[in-house]
Amino acid sequence: MASLETAAEHERILREIESTDTNCIGPTLRSVYDGQEHGLFMEKLDARIRNHDREIEKMCNHHFQGFVDSITELLKVRGEAQKLKSQVTETNEHLQENGKVLIMSMEELRQCRVQQRNIATTIDKLTHCLPGNTAALAAQRYYPALRTLEQLEQTCLPKAGQYRFCSIMAENIPKLRIQIRDTAMSQLRDFLESIRKHSDKIGETAMKQAQLQRSLDSSVSPQPRALLGRRGRKEARAGTKSRGQGGCPLSEQASGILDVEDEEEDEVPGAQDLVDFSPVYRCLHIYTVLGLRDEFENYYRKQRRKQARLVLQPHSNMHETLEGYRRYFNQIVGFFVVEDHVLHTTQGLVNRAYVEELWELALSKIVAALRTHSSYCDDPDLVLDLKNLIVLFADTLQGYGFPVSQLFDMLLEMREQYGEILLKRWNVTFRQVLDQDNYSPIPVSTEEEYTHYTSQFPLQDPELEKLPFPKKLPFSEFVPKVYCQLKEFIYACLKYSEDLHLSSTEVDDMIRKSTNLLLTRTLSHCLQYAIKKKNVGLAELVQVIINTTHLEQSCHFLEEFISNITNVPPDTVNATKLYGTSTFKVRAHTFSLVLLSSLSPSFSFFFAAA
């Protein structure tokens, strides 16, 4: 039993030796020598070695012939390899000999490619250096581009020598100049079209600013004047702009325009703040650099003259509404505001003589158009509004230095037309008052009623005042109503005389002349119309005579009323007197004759009966 275990142990140790690394075999062998059966183990180990030797021998015998055959083939291959090596060596020597020429050609090609790349890079860099390229044109930096082109043409290219790229650049410089010139001219045409379309908006802004300035002036001075402050502020701005250009009159940044934020918060923005004048300045700079300034000036002035003729042509229905006149004036003001700004910021694009010539042309056409269209107007309110609009128009342009005396002369002419229209209106009013009158004394039953009538008409009768209520006023409703209408007429005449820069004496004289026409022509004819009515009886005729007598007595009160509102004493030398007293006397005498002629048959019958 023990021998079987020993044999199994030895078999395990042999398998472990066969399968274990030789570095770890020490502990295994130690276990063999620690036992008593190491001799037996050596026998088994020898037997195992012999067994493995037999297996190795069998394997070698099995593969020996193939090994011999492989060695034989290898020896044959060595001979062929020697031949192949010699052939490869010969081929390599031949290839190296023939490749020397190719290598030299490739080196020359490489040098050419490097030169070609350098030339392309140089051309590309030079192209980017040209100021007239697409990027520079897109940035609208035309003035620096032209200066750089001039430097290239006159300084840089002559120093570079007679190279092909120099000749190409020299050929392209005139084309770039033409491109820049055409681009700037296109922008100028767009600018001219824009200001033609928006001149009414520019003019509206300028007139609003003028109206604001007039309000400010009237709060400081008793006689408001037109826009001297505006001119001072504008010239100060222009001076600030010119100093900011660093002494370069052709600076491309010289727009001459302030942002709206630069204005005071409570001030209406100036008309120039609505327009970007940079296309004009840019085109002027470019044409100046190109030596074509005269050509540009002639073109600009020609185009503006054409636009002036369009602006000065009024619409056929302008007289129908005040808005039609306003639009007409706004367009004219907008046109001349632009010209005035160009005059003060471009140093010669337009001169004072040119602007004055345009204004003289415009003034004659404006006066002719206003005379024609205002003649169609029969509404005194519209005429008065038109007069105020013309005054604002004149004051606005006067603030920009344009003479407007002809406009005020025309307003004085329109004053006659306005007076005629007022006379027609008051003729209708007087007739309505006469038609509505009952031709009987006015009964008053209270102090309030008496005060009401005496406030409308200056009645001075101490005897009547002493009488108790109820009592009767000697005249009918016609008298206070006519007296109030006379004062309303005087106020209407005074409204037209405002802001015409007339003296108090001139205003007083105009009002008195118009009032004389109202008394001697309109009211006199209306009174004559009243007695010619078929239904006027003797009592009514007597009341008309009484009414006329009281109106005659009130004439000196009208004189005082006119003197109070015009601040001209009635006893001033050469002052026009009212003809009302004589007119009413004549009418009263006429009415008395009519009354006597009406009573003659009754007197004849009475005397015959007696």
Side-chain angles (χ1 to χ4, degrees):
M1 190 69 181
S3 61
L4 291 176
E5 293 178 358
T6 302
E9 180 65 19
H10 289 170
E11 187 65 29
R12 183 189 66 78
I13 292 172
L14 289 174
R15 286 197 301 273
E16 187 175 350
I17 292 173
E18 290 175 346
S19 60
T20 304
D21 190 5
T22 56
N23 295 329
C24 301
I25 200 171
T28 305
L29 294 178
R30 181 177 294 276
S31 64
V32 174
Y33 285 101
D34 288 344
Q36 301 296 324
E37 300 297 336
H38 61 277
L40 183 59
F41 175 76
M42 290 300 296
E43 292 177 0
K44 286 186 175 290
L45 181 60
D46 291 336
R48 182 64 60 89
I49 291 173
R50 286 192 299 272
N51 188 26
H52 283 299
D53 288 339
R54 283 193 297 271
E55 291 179 358
I56 291 171
E57 185 178 356
K58 288 180 181 179
M59 185 177 296
C60 288
N61 291 332
H62 179 71
H63 295 288
F64 177 74
Q65 188 61 41
F67 176 72
V68 173
D69 295 338
S70 299
I71 293 299
T72 304
E73 292 294 331
L74 184 59
L75 292 175
K76 293 179 180 181
V77 169
R78 185 176 63 178
E80 297 295 330
Q82 292 294 334
K83 294 179 182 180
L84 179 61
K85 180 180 178 181
S86 61
Q87 292 177 359
V88 170
T89 302
E90 293 176 359
T91 303
N92 180 55
E93 292 175 354
H94 180 70
L95 181 62
Q96 292 295 329
E97 186 66 25
N98 294 333
K100 289 180 181 180
V101 179
L102 179 61
I103 290 173
M104 293 176 62
S105 300
M106 291 297 293
E107 182 64 23
E108 293 176 357
L109 178 61
R110 187 186 69 83
Q111 293 294 335
C112 291
R113 291 290 176 85
V114 170
Q115 292 177 0
Q116 185 180 11
R117 185 178 69 247
N118 293 339
I119 291 173
T121 304
T122 303
I123 292 175
D124 182 64
K125 297 301 181 182
L126 289 173
T127 303
H128 284 84
C129 290
L130 289 177
N133 58 23
T134 305
L137 293 177
Q140 299 183 357
R141 300 178 64 251
Y142 304 129
Y143 180 71
L146 289 174
R147 286 302 188 192
T148 306
L149 286 176
E150 182 179 358
Q151 184 179 6
L152 281 173
E153 186 177 37
Q154 298 180 1
T155 306
C156 299
L157 291 182
K159 291 181 179 180
Q162 301 299 321
Y163 295 104
R164 186 168 179 267
F165 77 90
C166 293
S167 61
I168 294 175
M169 292 178 65
E171 292 174 359
N172 287 329
I173 285 176
K175 298 178 181 178
L176 291 172
R177 286 197 178 105
I178 294 175
Q179 182 181 359
I180 293 173
R181 183 196 66 187
D182 294 344
T183 303
M185 180 57 69
S186 175
Q187 293 178 355
L188 177 69
R189 292 192 184 100
D190 294 341
F191 167 80
L192 293 175
E193 180 66 19
S194 176
I195 60 174
R196 186 188 69 82
K197 292 180 179 178
H198 299 95
S199 60
D200 56 342
K201 181 64 176 177
I202 302 170
E204 180 183 0
T205 303
M207 293 181 72
K208 284 181 179 179
Q209 202 280 337
Q211 192 169 19
L212 174 63
Q213 184 65 36
R214 251 180 35 177
S215 301
L216 295 175
D217 290 343
S218 62
S219 64
V220 176
S221 173
Q223 293 185 353
R225 291 304 304 151
L227 306 182
L228 297 178
R230 172 64 175 166
R231 164 61 63 197
R233 286 197 304 274
K234 190 177 71 169
E235 290 180 351
R237 292 174 187 170
T240 302
K241 280 291 178 181
S242 62
R243 289 192 298 271
Q245 294 171 12
C248 178
L250 300 178
S251 171
E252 194 168 355
Q253 305 299 326
S255 64
I257 304 172
L258 287 178
D259 293 333
V260 176
E261 290 78 2
D262 294 334
E263 301 285 345
E264 297 179 3
E265 293 182 358
D266 57 346
E267 185 179 1
V268 177
Q272 291 83 6
D273 299 323
L274 302 176
V275 183
D276 177 17
F277 287 91
S278 57
V280 179
Y281 305 133
R282 185 181 302 118
C283 202
L284 175 62
H285 300 158
I286 291 171
Y287 272 74
T288 301
V289 173
L290 297 177
L292 302 174
R293 182 185 177 99
D294 292 340
E295 177 183 340
F296 175 71
E297 289 180 0
N298 293 333
Y299 175 81
Y300 177 84
R301 296 182 184 186
K302 181 179 179 181
Q303 295 301 315
R304 290 297 281 166
R305 283 193 179 95
K306 290 181 179 179
Q307 291 186 355
R309 285 192 287 270
L310 293 176
V311 167
L312 295 171
Q313 184 66 34
H315 294 287
S316 58
N317 60 344
M318 182 178 71
H319 60 275
E320 296 179 357
T321 61
L322 185 66
E323 191 60 33
Y325 290 103
R326 191 186 308 277
R327 191 179 305 111
Y328 179 65
F329 289 142
N330 286 342
Q331 291 179 350
I332 296 174
V333 171
F335 178 88
F336 282 99
V337 165
V338 171
E339 289 306 287
D340 180 77
H341 188 79
V342 172
L343 171 65
H344 287 86
T345 57
T346 56
Q347 299 181 358
L349 177 58
V350 296
N351 53 31
R352 175 60 66 182
Y354 160 79
V355 176
E356 289 178 353
E357 178 188 353
L358 273 183
W359 174 241
E360 289 296 329
L361 171 66
L363 196 58
S364 61
K365 290 184 176 295
I366 292 169
V367 171
L370 290 177
R371 283 174 177 164
T372 301
H373 286 269
S374 63
S375 63
Y376 299 128
C377 182
D378 55 0
D379 182 4
D381 295 331
L382 179 58
V383 174
L384 185 61
D385 291 338
L386 175 59
K387 166 257 170 184
N388 293 330
L389 186 60
I390 294 175
V391 170
L392 178 60
F393 169 73
D395 285 348
T396 302
L397 289 173
Q398 190 177 30
Y400 287 93
F402 296 100
V404 293
S405 58
Q406 290 188 39
L407 291 175
F408 285 101
D409 293 341
M410 187 205 63
L411 286 175
L412 295 179
E413 295 177 9
M414 287 179 57
R415 170 67 184 83
E416 304 297 329
Q417 176 189 352
Y418 177 72
E420 291 297 325
I421 297 174
L422 288 181
L423 292 176
K424 291 180 181 179
R425 170 175 282 192
W426 259 259
N427 180 66
V428 175
T429 302
F430 286 151
R431 294 200 176 204
Q432 291 176 350
V433 171
L434 287 170
D435 292 339
Q436 296 171 3
D437 192 32
N438 56 9
Y439 297 98
S440 59
I442 303 174
V444 291
S445 56
T446 63
E447 182 70 27
E448 288 76 12
E449 292 182 358
Y450 183 80
T451 304
H452 170 70
Y453 286 108
T454 55
S455 64
Q456 292 181 347
F457 181 78
L459 177 63
Q460 294 183 350
D461 191 344
E463 299 296 331
L464 180 62
E465 291 181 358
K466 295 178 182 179
L467 294 177
F469 293 100
K471 53 187 174 182
K472 290 185 179 181
L473 301 180
F475 45 78
S476 66
E477 295 275 357
F478 166 74
V479 173
K481 289 182 178 179
V482 166
Y483 190 81
C484 290
Q485 288 299 322
L486 290 174
K487 293 199 295 185
E488 289 296 326
F489 179 85
I490 293 171
Y491 277 127
C493 294
L494 179 64
K495 286 182 180 178
Y496 190 91
S497 302
E498 293 175 350
D499 299 322
L500 293 184
H501 312 308
L502 300 174
S503 65
S504 299
T505 304
E506 291 174 322
V507 173
D508 181 85
D509 186 68
M510 290 175 62
I511 293 177
R512 289 176 183 272
K513 288 181 179 179
S514 299
T515 306
N516 279 333
L517 287 176
L518 180 69
L519 293 174
T520 59
R521 194 172 73 185
T522 304
L523 182 57
S524 178
H525 290 171
C526 288
L527 292 173
Q528 186 70 26
Y529 157 80
I531 65 172
K532 288 183 178 180
K533 293 175 62 177
K534 296 180 180 180
N535 58 349
V536 175
L538 294 178
E540 289 82 357
L541 188 57
V542 171
Q543 187 62 54
V544 170
I545 295 174
I546 296 173
N547 291 344
T548 305
T549 302
H550 280 85
L551 289 175
E552 175 190 346
Q553 296 172 355
S554 68
C555 284
H556 71 279
F557 293 104
L558 281 178
E559 295 248 13
E560 293 179 358
F561 176 73
I562 295 174
S563 297
N564 290 333
I565 64 175
T566 60
N567 295 320
V568 177
D571 55 351
T572 303
V573 181
N574 298 327
T576 302
K577 303 298 181 182
L578 291 183
Y579 303 148
T581 302
S582 59
T583 301
F584 289 129
K585 281 183 178 180
V586 171
R587 283 304 167 196
H589 180 70
T590 303
F591 297 155
S592 299
L593 294 177
V594 173
L595 178 62
L596 288 176
S597 63
S598 300
L599 292 175
S600 293
S602 300
F603 287 156
S604 300
F605 177 77
F606 176 76
F607 288 131

